[in-house]
Amino acid sequence: MGLIKTIGRKPAVQRVLGVIAYGYLKLVKRTNRFTLEPASIYERLDATGAFIAAMWHGQHLMISFMSRPQDRVATIISRSPDGNINTMALERMGVRVMRASGARGRAVRDARAKGGAEGLRAMVRALKGGETVAFSADVPKVSRVCDAGIIMLARFSGCPIVPVAVVTSRHIRFNSWDRACLGLPFGRGAMVFGESIFVPREIEPEAVEALRARVQAELNRVHDRAYALVGRPDRVVGSRDDALGQAA
């Protein structure tokens, strides 16, 4: 492990970095002129109640922008040391963080999968308790390909999936597997919400795949629309198409 990484994992250093990350995210949110689409989305969601805010993993740094002060939002972050800074920043942004592995397809098929079943149960409890859950829909380490875990979360909780995209015209794109995007201050932003997707409790395997594909298509649609609103192309489109070809 390198010296910089070792220092970065010290609790005191992580606390400082968490405060810095929080301050930076607040600056980005306050200095970008955000367009909300649909404009009446919060009225619709207030009538719906708790929902699963589906996002692509690369959006996780800015997903907290979607919530209002009165909203109760939770998310799940792995227990790895690298997740500590994100946890500290998000908690200051008003998001409750659960530390466990996310619910993925294997976790649903094999209850013994490490952390997956635990994470699924935690998110179901949060939704049944009235919290909205922000959930990364990607297959682990495969950007922009939806995993079946989010369908199982909707099935067990009874709450709808609502695809969400939060983008800014000025941003940094990281060279990570998810091509994570961090907004820059003083630009334009867009928050686009997709159609609510409901999953019945009793469902056949073929229907699971159809719903998974529907969530994936709707996530891609809201991202394309968000980038159109800020007048910038989504530079992950090429890698997304490559990933889809590899997954086929």
Side-chain angles (χ1 to χ4, degrees), residues 123-201:
M123 288 185 286
V124 169
R125 285 195 298 269
L127 289 161
K128 288 184 177 294
E131 292 179 286
T132 287
V133 168
F135 186 86
S136 298
D138 312 65
V139 170
K141 304 298 181 182
V142 182
S143 178
R144 307 276 182 105
V145 176
C146 185
D147 187 82
I150 195 169
I151 305 301
M152 296 301 104
L153 178 58
R155 175 190 175 194
F156 295 140
S157 67
C159 295
I161 300 167
V162 180
V164 184
V166 181
V167 308
T168 53
S169 58
R170 302 180 66 247
H171 56 262
I172 298 171
R173 181 80 65 183
F174 296 99
N175 190 28
S176 54
W177 71 265
D178 58 358
R179 301 298 305 279
C181 191
L182 178 62
L184 294 172
F186 310 111
R188 289 171 293 156
M191 293 185 285
V192 179
F193 291 73
E195 297 179 2
S196 297
I197 299 171
F198 291 85
V199 178
R201 181 73 180 188

Side-chain angles (χ1 to χ4, degrees), residues 94-105:
V95 177
R96 185 173 74 86
V97 176
M98 300 170 282
R99 303 301 298 271
S101 299
R104 302 300 178 188

Side-chain angles (χ1 to χ4, degrees), residues 193-230:
F193 291 73
E195 297 179 2
S196 297
I197 299 171
F198 291 85
V199 178
R201 181 73 180 188
E202 302 300 325
I203 185 170
E204 297 296 326
E206 296 79 8
V208 170
E209 171 55 25
L211 285 166
R212 186 207 64 78
R214 182 180 170 192
V215 172
Q216 179 170 298
E218 187 66 359
L219 270 168
N220 287 336
R221 184 189 71 80
V222 296
H223 274 77
D224 291 344
R225 177 57 181 164
Y227 277 104
L229 287 171
V230 300

Side-chain angles (χ1 to χ4, degrees), residues 1 29 61 67-68 171 189 211-212 216:
M1 183 182 298
K29 186 176 182 180
L61 295 173
S67 64
R68 302 165 296 175
H171 56 262
L211 285 166
R212 186 207 64 78
Q216 179 170 298

